[in-house]
Amino acid sequence: MSAPQLVVHRDKELMAQAAAARLITKIVDAQAARGHASVVLTGGRNGNGLLAALADAPARDAIDWSRLDLWWGDERFLPEGDPERNVTQAREALLASVPLTPSRVHAMPASDGPCGNDADAAAAAYAGELAAAAGPEDHGPVPTFDVLMLGVGPDTHVASLFPELPAVRETERTVVGVHGAPKPPPTRISLTLPAIRAAREVWLLAAGEDKAEAAEIALSGAGEIQAPAAGAYGRSRTLWLLDAAAASRLPRALYPPASP
């Protein structure tokens, strides 16, 4: 378990730009070290804002997009191409404009895919895809992701792991179907905390006043069942990327006064 580090930016736009620059560096370094990189994307306004900033960054061309594996932390279980699906939004924000290798873009199944309208079967299929991509060096059923990004919800949920629901209590499976989610759509697919914790680095994104209480709760020692964001951490690093509004309820002792 890595203790959380905090970086606080002036506003959400600067946060997105800085996070995009940080991600470019991390991907380039991983590709230089191992020949490839793997990143887990997140949806929502902060995740999509980061992707849009990455699309606009001149340094994006430093990435060898053909040697990048992309995964998702969760997905809304809707038909392929639905505008509410995270993968649809990611394609619009960035993916359609960069030369990715299609077989390395690992979208979660849609509700009209091979598993039909069975979210649990779709989750099991994605778990199988993760397991197939994991090598002996990963020491587990998922690849050791270089960076796994998560948006933090106002209720402290991350991915589609909501407070007190069964998915956040899962300790064995890496991917689960989520039923009865408190925000629409109610049916989703999500990585579990064990899968999230396989990442080298976990980045939690929070911007806006509506995220201030969630950040305060998650960083104050709350339990992961009541505050799932508190249970999201990486093997070597856990990084909270916030804007000033989201950090407004945090003690200044938690982050450097000179944070941009």
Side-chain angles (χ1 to χ4, degrees), residues 4 6 152-158 163-164 204 206 209-232 240 242 246-251 254:
L6 279 66
V152 179
D155 60 354
T156 73
H157 84 265
V158 289
E164 304 286 354
L204 297 106
E209 292 182 8
D210 61 328
K211 307 296 179 71
E213 183 177 9
E216 179 187 32
I217 292 170
L219 289 164
S220 66
E224 63 195 39
I225 305 301
Q226 295 76 29
W240 278 74
L242 309 102
S248 61
R249 296 176 60 159
L250 299 175
L254 285 180

Side-chain angles (χ1 to χ4, degrees), residues 67-162:
R67 295 189 291 129
L68 176 63
D69 283 287
L70 294 178
W71 303 86
W72 271 263
D74 74 321
E75 187 55 277
R76 296 158 175 140
F77 198 51
L78 298 166
E80 178 65 31
D82 189 288
E84 291 300 309
R85 274 175 59 82
N86 289 333
V87 66
T88 305
Q89 296 173 6
R91 286 175 180 143
E92 293 175 354
L94 171 69
L95 307 190
S97 64
V98 291
L100 293 159
T101 300
S103 63
R104 290 189 157 199
V105 180
H106 306 274
M108 286 185 164
S111 62
D112 57 353
C115 296
N117 200 30
D118 186 337
D120 297 319
Y126 202 67
E129 189 172 351
L130 285 163
E137 70 279 5
D138 295 310
H139 306 293
V142 299
T144 305
F145 311 114
D146 291 296
V147 176
L148 184 149
M149 295 182 289
L150 297 166
V152 179
D155 60 354
T156 73
H157 84 265
V158 289
S160 284
L161 305 178
F162 293 91

Side-chain angles (χ1 to χ4, degrees), residues 3 19 23 30 51 57 79 82 109-110 121 135 146 159 164 167 175 183 190 202 213 217:
L23 183 60
L51 294 182
D82 189 288
D146 291 296
E164 304 286 354
V175 190
K183 61 180 292 188
S190 182
V202 169
E213 183 177 9
I217 292 170

